[in-house]
Amino acid sequence: MKYAIIIPDGAADLPLEELDGATPLAAAETPNIDWIAANGRCGTVRTVPRGMHPGSDVAILSVIGYDPKQYYTGRAPLEAAARDLKIGPDELVFRCNLVTIVDGIMEDYSAGHIASEQAASLIEELNRLLAGPNVRFYSGVGYRHLMTFKGECDVTTTPPHDILGQRVQGRLPTGSGADMLRTLIDRSQAIFAEHEINAVRRDLGENPATSIWLWGQGKMPQLPSFAERFGLSAAAITAVDLVRGLAKLIGWSLIEVEGATGYIDTNYFGKGLAAVEAMDEYDLVCVHVEAPDEAGHNADPDAKVKAISQIDRHVVGPLLERLKGEGDQWRILVLPDHPTPCRVRTHTAEPVPFAIAGAGIESVVAEPFNEETAAASDLHVARGCDLMEYFLTVR
Ligand SMILES: [Zn+2]
């Protein structure tokens, strides 16, 4: 059997006036996804367990068959896994943003989208002046870096993009071990204030990196391998580090595609082509496309419709063709990880629609794929991680 999973990130939405009352999924041109729905089954699935935050990390854990309640430890460890950092079991990994704080206000969570090279010099400076046996900084891409911390630490932190324009006082780490973290943040501010890179950025009218901001912490999760659990070889195609990290942690291969940007201008065609080729080698191929989520954050229904149409045409279509060449020994599953409604501009935790077709999956009502038809079906998966088992084993 061959299996394909396509995740149009954040594609689920609400009816929009701009689309004459349709959702982007309903408005998009999706003959292939509609074929899957009409010849297979639609339903809804709760990918974000109640009480958990609706991040792609949590939701995609569910999609790949792992219960976030049992396995999710935080966002930063997944980024560490994506970058193959060696993290000890006694170490806590934090996301370490470079941010711009002016007069105690969080002005910019990205320090003007600082370039990786400049950021690397600042992180290097932190390693020279602040690191020790219990603290270490790892430079990453743009404003996104990591810090590891060894010691007693049970803190609550706040994502910097959630407090834009607000006072940082009261949003700094709290709890046991928070003093040490606050000291590191304070000391980074003193170090960065003097740094020549910031002098240059100010001259150019760019936001300086005035501080680090620590959040998204967790220990490395211990996930049983996918092959061990389901007896299948698998590969993922994604442009996003969180998904790369999850894939590595469960032993999936990663296939990198040139021009896969994680943005609306991504190389849909290249991703589809790579997925079709990977079907020769692997039992299961999972393609994740970030573009619809970005369009949702930007409150841009037209871009979202376009992104979904491109995914249908360049990713779902070719995969479906390839699978049909396997006779009846295949199954395909399409689902967003979570909704990113254009009107809300961020993720929500509502159940998402899914469509599934292939061997042994009988059509009940031949309807196109959208939020409404999925909700009207009688197939509702309450625990997202159970959907994988259904997809792989139902007869
Ligand atoms: Zn998002």
Side-chain angles (χ1 to χ4, degrees), residues 4 6 25 28-42 312-313 316-334 354-370 373 391:
I6 298 99
L25 263 179
E29 213 174 292
T30 54
N32 297 298
I33 304 177
D34 288 342
W35 186 94
I36 294 167
N39 290 277
R41 297 201 65 181
C42 284
D312 184 86
R313 181 166 170 200
V316 181
L319 269 171
L320 203 48
E321 275 310 301
R322 168 68 181 80
L323 288 171
K324 284 176 180 171
E326 295 286 323
D328 62 352
Q329 293 297 298
W330 58 273
R331 277 185 191 159
I332 193 165
L333 167 65
V334 181
F354 70 86
I356 183 171
I361 295 163
E362 296 292 314
S363 165
V364 185
V365 279
E367 296 260 32
F369 181 62
N370 57 54
T373 54
F391 177 55

Side-chain angles (χ1 to χ4, degrees), residues 292-372:
D293 179 63
E294 291 293 336
H297 287 294
N298 293 337
D300 188 341
D302 289 337
K304 199 163 181 182
V305 166
K306 215 175 280 177
I308 294 167
S309 303
Q310 298 279 316
I311 292 167
D312 184 86
R313 181 166 170 200
H314 294 300
V315 182
V316 181
L319 269 171
L320 203 48
E321 275 310 301
R322 168 68 181 80
L323 288 171
K324 284 176 180 171
E326 295 286 323
D328 62 352
Q329 293 297 298
W330 58 273
R331 277 185 191 159
I332 193 165
L333 167 65
V334 181
L335 80 165
D337 47 352
H338 54 70
T340 309
C342 288
R343 263 195 274 142
V344 185
R345 297 195 70 169
T346 188
H347 307 175
T348 65
E350 299 309 308
V352 293
F354 70 86
I356 183 171
I361 295 163
E362 296 292 314
S363 165
V364 185
V365 279
E367 296 260 32
F369 181 62
N370 57 54
E371 292 84 346
E372 201 183 340

Side-chain angles (χ1 to χ4, degrees), residues 54-83:
S56 283
D57 41 9
V58 168
I60 291 178
L61 251 181
S62 285
V63 170
I64 61 179
Y66 293 74
D67 188 354
K69 282 194 157 159
Q70 185 177 353
Y71 294 112
Y72 183 76
T73 62
R75 169 194 182 112
L78 301 179
E79 296 184 9
R83 286 158 51 188

Side-chain angles (χ1 to χ4, degrees), residues 94-380:
F94 287 82
R95 168 59 100 67
C96 173
N97 276 45
L98 294 179
V99 300
T100 309
I101 299 171
V102 179
D103 299 331
I105 305 287
M106 178 64 73
E107 292 285 349
D108 185 348
Y109 66 87
S110 74
H113 283 276
I114 187 168
S116 300
E117 215 168 88
Q118 289 191 350
S121 309
L122 295 172
I123 296 295
E124 191 51 43
E125 195 75 343
L126 296 181
N127 267 330
R128 202 167 64 80
L129 299 170
L130 295 185
N134 297 327
V135 173
R136 179 152 189 89
F137 296 89
Y138 297 86
S139 65
V141 177
Y143 60 88
R144 310 173 194 86
H145 310 280
L146 297 171
M147 186 192 90
T148 53
F149 181 75
K150 222 184 278 183
E152 251 321 287
C153 192
D154 184 9
V155 291
T156 303
T157 57
T158 307
H161 48 262
D162 283 359
I163 53 165
L164 278 180
Q166 298 176 29
R167 298 204 70 78
V168 299
Q169 197 64 40
R171 301 307 194 106
L172 288 156
T174 55
S176 130
D179 288 352
M180 179 66 190
L181 302 176
R182 286 164 176 251
T183 304
L184 288 167
I185 291 172
D186 281 348
R187 291 189 60 195
S188 79
Q189 295 175 0
I191 292 166
F192 289 170
E194 307 281 300
H195 204 283
E196 56 182 16
I197 281 176
N198 278 329
V200 172
R201 293 187 68 79
R202 285 195 181 89
D203 281 349
L204 293 173
E206 296 168 335
N207 282 344
T210 65
S211 181
I212 58 169
W213 191 263
L214 302 171
W215 63 284
Q217 73 280 0
K219 292 201 164 163
M220 292 307 285
Q222 301 301 319
L223 301 177
S225 86
F226 190 82
E228 207 170 278
R229 285 190 59 204
F230 297 110
L232 298 172
S233 65
I237 296 174
T238 180
V240 171
D241 264 354
L242 287 179
V243 185
R244 277 196 194 99
L246 284 171
K248 286 195 177 180
L249 285 167
I250 63 170
W252 283 8
S253 300
L254 278 165
I255 296 167
E256 298 296 336
V257 174
E258 214 172 299
T261 55
Y263 207 62
I264 296 161
D265 62 356
T266 195
N267 180 4
Y268 302 92
F269 179 79
K271 283 186 141 175
L273 192 66
V276 165
E277 282 172 2
M279 288 287 13
D280 292 341
E281 193 177 334
Y282 298 94
D283 301 321
L284 184 151
V285 175
C286 177
V287 186
H288 167 259
V289 187
E290 181 77 354
D293 179 63
E294 291 293 336
H297 287 294
N298 293 337
D300 188 341
D302 289 337
K304 199 163 181 182
V305 166
K306 215 175 280 177
I308 294 167
S309 303
Q310 298 279 316
I311 292 167
D312 184 86
R313 181 166 170 200
H314 294 300
V315 182
V316 181
L319 269 171
L320 203 48
E321 275 310 301
R322 168 68 181 80
L323 288 171
K324 284 176 180 171
E326 295 286 323
D328 62 352
Q329 293 297 298
W330 58 273
R331 277 185 191 159
I332 193 165
L333 167 65
V334 181
L335 80 165
D337 47 352
H338 54 70
T340 309
C342 288
R343 263 195 274 142
V344 185
R345 297 195 70 169
T346 188
H347 307 175
T348 65
E350 299 309 308
V352 293
F354 70 86
I356 183 171
I361 295 163
E362 296 292 314
S363 165
V364 185
V365 279
E367 296 260 32
F369 181 62
N370 57 54
E371 292 84 346
E372 201 183 340
T373 54
S377 86
D378 58 1
L379 187 55
H380 304 288

